[in-house]
Amino acid sequence: MKKMIDLRSDTVTMPTDEMRQAMASAPVGDDGYGDDPTVKKLEEKAADIVGKEDALFVPSGIFGNQLAILTHTNRGDEIIVEANSHIVMHEVGAAAVIAGVQLRNIEGRNGRMSIKDVERAIREENIHFPRTGLICIENAHSCGTVIGLDNMSEISEIAKKNNIPVHLDGARVFNAAKALNVDVKEITKYADSVMFCLSKGLCAPVGSILAGSKEFIEKARKNRKLMGGGLRQAGIIAAAGIVALDTMIDRLEEDHKNAKYLAEKLSEIDKIEVRFDKNDINMVFFKISDDIIEEKNFINKLLEKNIKINGKENGEYRFVTNNDVSRDDIDYVVQQIKNILD
Ligand SMILES: *Cc1c(COP(=O)(O)O)cnc(C)c1O
């Protein structure tokens, strides 16, 4: 039987054989007592790679973002976020529930907030106003774009001037670094804290990292406990994270090349409108009007050909390339779409 080609996300990636072997043989201990050498090794390595003093292993990306928000802010604060960011759109409203903060949405251009808008959104001292407790930037943005270093640097400067910390939702920060062709530290240096996912393009089965200053991570470690995210012999999964950092960062470039190739090929089909303005990383966004093929029909027809995709969001399909999708797979997908649309 032909294998399933899964384009729904890079979260569907399977752990590599090397990860499974590392997991099987990892030395572990109770991380609640600080006894797990593998977790420690991962946290040290992660902090080093993103240029922060310390890091914390957390169960998921959402956990890391929400832990950062809880740790940076006080209840009733307002935090500045991009209107289509993951924190606003895809985190179940957690910031209101866990940290008890209000989200001040700034409509960006493909995820990029204008400096003027950020500056205007910062609250002055006034008896009616909440305090601005945090500014969040998402890079790479989940709409498929990369935010330039100029923008990050300017936001960071405004934040410093106003004594407001910056959190980077860097779920795909290594994709951003590859796309910008810079060391990841060139991106993370503009943020006080950064979250990144081990379990997306990097292919680890579980886990994310929250990194920041020693003081911040110490506070976050306690808050992680409060949130129920203190783990025990977590070295079993941290071991895969170490392999992810050692072996999977450089190959993200392949996903990007495949996404560009897929975008080109799809754009040659005249019923498809590809969003080349959102093709910076491993994602391809495109439109096919419902008059040409109805969404459910398109999904089911592809599934019959062993291709898994998600439904549209905001009227657009999103295909995500990843370690388990080869160039040949992409050629096969494009051929099947041609057949379906003819
Ligand atoms: C995936 C993602 C997250 C959340 O990660 P989970 O591990 O799914 O909780 C947060 N931010 C962005 C930008 C993401 O793409």
Side-chain angles (χ1 to χ4, degrees):
M1 203 190 93
K2 195 177 170 3
K3 76 160 186 176
M4 193 61 82
I5 300 171
D6 198 337
L7 297 168
R8 291 173 301 172
S9 179
D10 45 12
T11 57
V12 301
T13 44
M14 294 297 163
T16 62
D17 289 341
E18 195 182 341
M19 286 179 192
R20 288 180 185 273
Q21 275 160 28
M23 292 169 79
S25 60
V28 297
D30 186 342
D31 188 50
Y33 287 104
D35 282 353
D36 193 304
T38 307
V39 170
K40 278 196 172 143
K41 186 173 164 192
L42 170 64
E43 290 176 342
E44 275 165 26
K45 186 184 273 287
D48 186 50
I49 288 174
V50 295
K52 299 295 175 201
E53 281 174 6
D54 208 350
L56 195 60
F57 185 48
V58 293
S60 72
I62 294 181
F63 198 110
N65 277 339
Q66 295 302 325
L67 176 59
I69 295 170
L70 177 68
T71 305
H72 281 300
T73 63
N74 297 311
R75 271 185 109 65
D77 278 359
E78 183 169 78
I79 70 172
I80 295 175
V81 285
E82 201 282 319
N84 291 299
S85 64
H86 198 276
I87 288 171
V88 176
M89 301 301 285
H90 291 117
E91 302 200 358
V92 211
V97 178
I98 298 171
V101 295
Q102 166 165 295
L103 302 184
R104 180 78 174 271
N105 285 242
I106 290 185
E107 193 77 46
R109 259 188 44 229
N110 283 345
R112 181 187 168 107
M113 296 185 284
S114 100
I115 311 304
K116 283 218 169 65
D117 287 348
V118 172
E119 206 156 26
R120 264 197 295 267
I122 295 171
R123 302 284 196 157
E124 294 164 14
E125 180 51 43
N126 180 302
I127 197 171
H128 299 97
F129 293 168
R131 191 186 75 104
T132 301
L134 182 67
I135 298 173
C136 298
I137 306 175
E138 186 173 309
N139 203 9
H141 196 281
S142 38
C143 79
T145 58
V146 167
I147 312 299
L149 296 179
D150 56 330
N151 186 257
M152 292 209 55
S153 140
E154 285 173 314
I155 291 177
S156 142
E157 244 167 65
I158 294 167
K160 269 207 190 80
K161 214 169 71 193
N162 290 277
N163 256 322
I164 301 167
V166 173
H167 172 67
L168 172 62
D169 176 351
R172 295 189 182 85
V173 74
F174 295 108
N175 294 86
K178 273 278 169 268
L180 292 170
N181 199 19
V182 296
D183 187 287
V184 73
K185 292 184 197 75
E186 293 302 313
I187 303 176
T188 54
K189 72 179 183 190
Y190 295 118
D192 298 279
S193 59
V194 53
M195 182 286 289
F196 69 82
C197 292
L198 296 161
S199 63
K200 289 189 169 170
L202 300 184
C203 301
V206 182
S208 290
I209 294 288
L210 178 64
S213 71
K214 269 230 148 17
E215 192 191 350
F216 173 80
I217 292 301
E218 196 181 313
K219 221 174 137 190
R221 193 177 290 280
K222 189 159 180 176
N223 282 335
R224 182 184 67 172
K225 194 69 163 172
L226 179 151
M227 285 168 63
L231 302 173
R232 300 299 180 192
Q233 286 72 25
I236 293 280
I237 47 178
I242 293 169
V243 176
L245 291 177
D246 284 344
T247 66
M248 303 305 280
I249 292 176
D250 277 339
R251 62 147 298 282
L252 290 174
E253 197 159 5
E254 225 171 280
D255 295 347
H256 293 193
K257 282 186 180 147
N258 282 340
K260 292 230 162 26
Y261 177 75
L262 175 59
E264 288 293 339
K265 289 288 163 192
L266 287 176
S267 73
E268 288 166 10
I269 304 172
D270 54 9
K271 290 160 184 156
I272 293 184
E273 189 191 324
V274 173
R275 293 287 307 268
F276 282 102
D277 58 331
K278 305 199 313 185
N279 189 218
D280 292 347
I281 53 168
N282 60 337
M283 298 178 181
V284 184
F285 290 83
F286 63 92
K287 287 184 198 175
I288 309 176
S289 122
D290 271 338
D291 306 338
I292 291 163
I293 189 163
E294 200 258 327
E295 181 178 341
K296 276 216 175 65
N297 196 12
F298 187 55
I299 295 170
N300 289 334
K301 284 231 156 78
L302 284 173
L303 199 53
E304 282 169 17
K305 301 293 176 189
N306 285 343
I307 301 164
K308 270 192 196 169
I309 65 162
N310 278 329
K312 294 190 234 190
E313 205 166 327
N314 299 319
E316 292 175 355
Y317 293 103
R318 182 191 76 167
F319 285 1
V320 185
T321 56
N322 62 63
N323 188 43
D324 300 332
V325 177
S326 67
R327 190 57 73 104
D328 284 348
D329 292 339
I330 292 173
D331 285 329
Y332 171 81
V333 167
V334 172
Q335 190 54 52
Q336 296 312 314
I337 292 178
K338 275 186 184 152
N339 295 348
I340 290 168
L341 296 183
D342 275 345

